[in-house]
Amino acid sequence: MTTSGTMKKKKRSRIGLNSLLLLVILAGALVAVYFWQIRLQKPEEINMAHHMQHSESAMHAAHQPGSQEAACGSLTAEDNNAPIRQFELTAAQTSLNLDNGKTVEAWTFNGQSPGPELRVTEGDRMVVTLTNKDIDDGVTLHWHGVTVPCSQDGVAGVTQDAVMPGEQFTYTFIASVPGTYWYHSHQMSSVQAEKGLLGQLIIEPKAADYEINQDIAVLLQDLDSNFVMNGKSNGLAAQGNPGDAVRLRLTNTANDTMEMLVDGAPYRIIALDGNPINEPGLLEGKSFLIGGGQRYDLLIDLPEQGKVVVRSSQKDNLRLILGSGAEPAEALSQGLFSFMDYGAPQPADRVEELSFDRSYELKLGQNLFVNTINGKSFHEIPPMNVIEGEHVKITVTNDGGGDHPLHIHGHTFRVLSKNGEPLRGSPVYLDTILTKKDETYELYVVADNPGLWMTHCHNLQHASMGMTMMLNYEGVTTPYRVGTKSGNLPDL
Ligand SMILES: [Cu+2]
């Protein structure tokens, strides 16, 4: 009895020791993998123009012997007589008192978050001077969705150095394509956007595309874990007369996909990411999903009686009330809007006639601690290399790990198909495509804006965890570097 008892005890303690050892080894391995993967997000020094090109022999074969190199900094806005619109934006630490009683230690432009709404007319020259008062890591301004020249794209370590405290940087470009856009810092974007360094940019068309009585821009924002609309946490209200046509420009700057509903009136979706829909039909009771970075322009005719409410199905405080009278009852969604068969095709714009010089496949996924594209993270992902003038097909598949709204800088792309099915309605042009699990989209990009263009998930948390890569034009160089040495960490 005594002997076997001792044996059992010994055995038990050995098992205990073994599992402890196993646990220690496992924990050690996890920590090692974690630090190895963190290294991906914070390299010492990377040239985003050339980091993988040596392995792209196909590109070198295509390289024309006499072709010239151009620095991103030399790619600037054309010099013309466009009317100049000048703005000053100062980034600073600011305590903001929200109307829900909370105080946020925010980072603001001109003392507010969102920063001032910049509204210009198609064809204007924007001249925006950014001053950094006291944001220690530095800041930049990126013009989300606007096809700016490379030097004006505002990506720290790619198109410029981060603007440090006491420094200034002046951006200038032609507001050539009307639409709903926004701006945000592209230095440590996942941190700085959530701290408040963002705002709305509206480029109004020279000739009105719709007859409207009110044009309202509303920015959905996650301000340090407080969901707000134009900075307000208890909803927004706008007056309006019965019969008024309201153009509502909705921008989702948050990481989460938002489901939006319209109660009290039918509506039309007249533009996606600022790009017009051809012959948009009337939508009744449908809700729509707006992914991080995306914009929806709605056209709503206010009814003869009662209000219209535009609201989020997830966040009760995100409510916009339009018009006067009684509030409509909250109705359940009658299904989700889809661009697959919305609006009318444009015969002159036939998909069948498109051809491609080059194609890329991007699989969006994740492993242990990082988000990945084709199984790799950040600067280890080979860039999509293109030559100016090429027609490029990009096939994007969401392999899981959440919604991935993929954003390509400097370009507007056309959506050709979803899960192998071609679009049947209006042509759809976007700069940010919301992908959900197991969805595949084919995108068509014309390489008409030479530069070095970041391509990343606009759930900026995912971007910071590695879901960010480059679309690089052959022959474009940059003197700027990403990494801990320069302090330029565009998507951290
Ligand atoms: Cu993502």
Side-chain angles (χ1 to χ4, degrees):
M1 283 297 276
T2 350
T3 330
S4 86
T6 323
M7 290 250 301
K8 255 185 205 159
K9 216 182 247 170
K10 260 189 188 161
K11 216 179 209 170
R12 208 175 288 143
S13 73
R14 185 169 298 157
I15 289 170
L17 212 69
N18 281 349
S19 28
L20 193 71
L21 201 67
L22 200 69
L23 261 177
V24 167
I25 290 171
L26 260 177
L30 277 177
V31 169
V33 169
Y34 177 72
F35 279 106
W36 176 73
Q37 302 209 313
I38 284 298
R39 181 190 59 90
L40 289 176
Q41 269 73 258
K42 292 181 88 171
E44 198 188 333
E45 187 174 32
I46 299 287
N47 178 349
M48 297 307 280
H50 289 305
H51 62 287
M52 292 295 289
Q53 278 192 12
H54 54 271
S55 64
E56 287 270 313
S57 50
M59 176 56 76
H60 277 250
H63 189 100
Q64 306 288 318
S67 76
Q68 304 219 324
E69 297 222 319
C72 171
S74 70
L75 301 165
T76 55
E78 61 168 313
D79 213 1
N80 62 13
N81 296 322
I84 291 173
R85 296 293 310 275
Q86 229 155 348
F87 301 96
E88 300 205 349
L89 295 177
T90 299
Q93 302 182 29
T94 310
S95 284
L96 288 181
N97 299 315
L98 300 183
D99 48 13
N100 62 6
K102 284 188 190 159
T103 301
V104 175
E105 298 309 321
W107 296 348
T108 59
F109 286 120
N110 300 1
Q112 61 185 84
S113 183
E117 178 184 301
L118 310 182
R119 218 174 241 267
V120 300
T121 304
E122 174 187 2
D124 287 351
R125 173 184 290 278
M126 305 265 309
V127 178
V128 184
T129 300
L130 166 67
T131 304
N132 180 358
K133 187 178 166 223
D134 57 5
I135 308 298
D136 291 340
D137 297 318
V139 295
T140 67
L141 283 175
H142 166 64
W143 310 96
H144 182 113
V146 186
T147 52
V148 297
C150 188
S151 61
Q152 307 302 302
D153 198 39
V155 179
V158 180
T159 68
Q160 66 174 102
D161 282 324
V163 178
M164 301 311 285
E167 292 180 354
Q168 285 192 329
F169 188 100
T170 298
Y171 297 86
T172 181
F173 56 90
I174 307 294
S176 52
V177 183
T180 303
Y181 305 98
W182 60 295
Y183 60 86
H184 64 84
S185 178
H186 224 305
Q187 160 74 341
M188 301 188 179
S189 63
S190 78
V191 177
Q192 296 203 351
E194 195 170 338
K195 288 289 261 181
L197 290 173
L198 53 83
Q200 189 100 62
L201 166 62
I202 308 298
I203 303 177
E204 292 183 341
K206 251 184 186 159
D209 45 358
Y210 287 94
E211 264 186 45
I212 48 170
N213 304 99
Q214 281 196 72
D215 183 317
I216 305 170
V218 170
L219 195 144
L220 307 173
Q221 181 184 2
D222 175 358
L223 179 59
D224 216 3
S225 301
N226 299 278
F227 281 83
V228 293
M229 266 179 158
N230 289 358
K232 302 287 182 199
S233 53
N234 290 332
L236 286 174
Q239 295 306 311
N241 298 315
D244 273 3
V246 177
R247 179 183 198 131
L248 172 62
R249 302 167 182 271
L250 268 182
T251 298
N252 184 6
T253 70
N255 291 324
D256 299 341
T257 303
M258 296 284 178
E259 185 193 13
M260 304 300 295
L261 293 138
V262 180
D263 293 321
Y267 67 102
R268 294 172 206 273
I269 293 173
I270 56 173
L272 294 171
D273 287 355
N275 305 292
I277 292 285
N278 186 40
E279 296 181 30
L282 213 50
L283 297 165
E284 225 157 330
K286 291 246 181 194
S287 57
F288 58 90
L289 296 179
I290 175 167
Q294 291 193 305
R295 288 89 66 212
Y296 274 65
D297 285 26
L298 312 185
L299 186 65
I300 306 170
D301 290 323
L302 297 187
E304 289 305 317
Q305 284 192 331
K307 292 170 173 161
V308 172
V309 177
V310 181
R311 63 187 172 89
S312 149
S313 70
Q314 300 120 300
K315 307 278 172 195
D316 290 342
N317 64 321
L318 296 182
R319 290 176 106 244
L320 167 69
I321 299 170
L322 299 167
S324 53
E327 265 190 39
E330 288 195 356
L332 289 174
S333 168
Q334 304 294 310
L336 277 178
F337 161 79
S338 160
F339 60 54
M340 289 300 292
D341 50 9
Y342 188 61
Q346 270 166 340
D349 228 358
R350 286 164 59 88
V351 173
E352 298 76 20
E353 279 151 26
L354 301 176
S355 65
F356 308 103
D357 303 300
R358 200 184 283 275
S359 48
Y360 286 101
E361 277 186 39
L362 306 181
K363 290 205 188 313
L364 312 178
Q366 63 170 18
N367 60 39
L368 211 49
F369 294 107
V370 293
N371 287 99
T372 58
I373 301 176
N374 297 337
K376 294 191 160 73
S377 280
F378 190 29
H379 58 94
E380 301 211 331
I381 307 166
M384 294 183 278
N385 289 314
V386 298
I387 294 171
E388 187 180 358
E390 284 185 331
H391 293 202
V392 183
K393 182 164 83 170
I394 303 176
T395 306
V396 186
T397 301
N398 181 326
D399 275 346
D403 287 6
H404 300 305
L406 189 77
H407 173 51
I408 303 179
H409 284 208
H411 297 76
T412 299
F413 51 79
R414 183 164 172 195
V415 184
L416 299 181
S417 72
K418 176 184 179 182
N419 300 334
E421 255 190 82
L423 272 65
R424 297 177 295 274
S426 166
V428 169
Y429 291 89
L430 304 172
D431 53 65
T432 309
I433 175 108
L434 174 63
T435 71
K436 300 187 83 71
K437 187 170 161 37
D438 295 329
E439 286 179 351
T440 293
Y441 292 91
E442 284 177 308
L443 314 177
Y444 173 69
V445 187
V446 178
D448 58 1
N449 191 11
L452 305 168
W453 303 106
M454 208 148 240
T455 299
H456 61 93
C457 184
H458 228 288
N459 179 329
L460 294 172
Q461 289 294 341
H462 296 173
S464 81
M465 295 307 280
M467 196 173 274
T468 182
M469 64 180 295
M470 297 298 297
L471 169 69
N472 287 344
Y473 281 61
E474 169 75 347
V476 180
T477 63
T478 179
Y480 306 107
R481 298 292 179 265
V482 163
T484 50
K485 199 169 157 194
S486 63
N488 294 318
L489 298 161
D491 273 336
L492 197 69

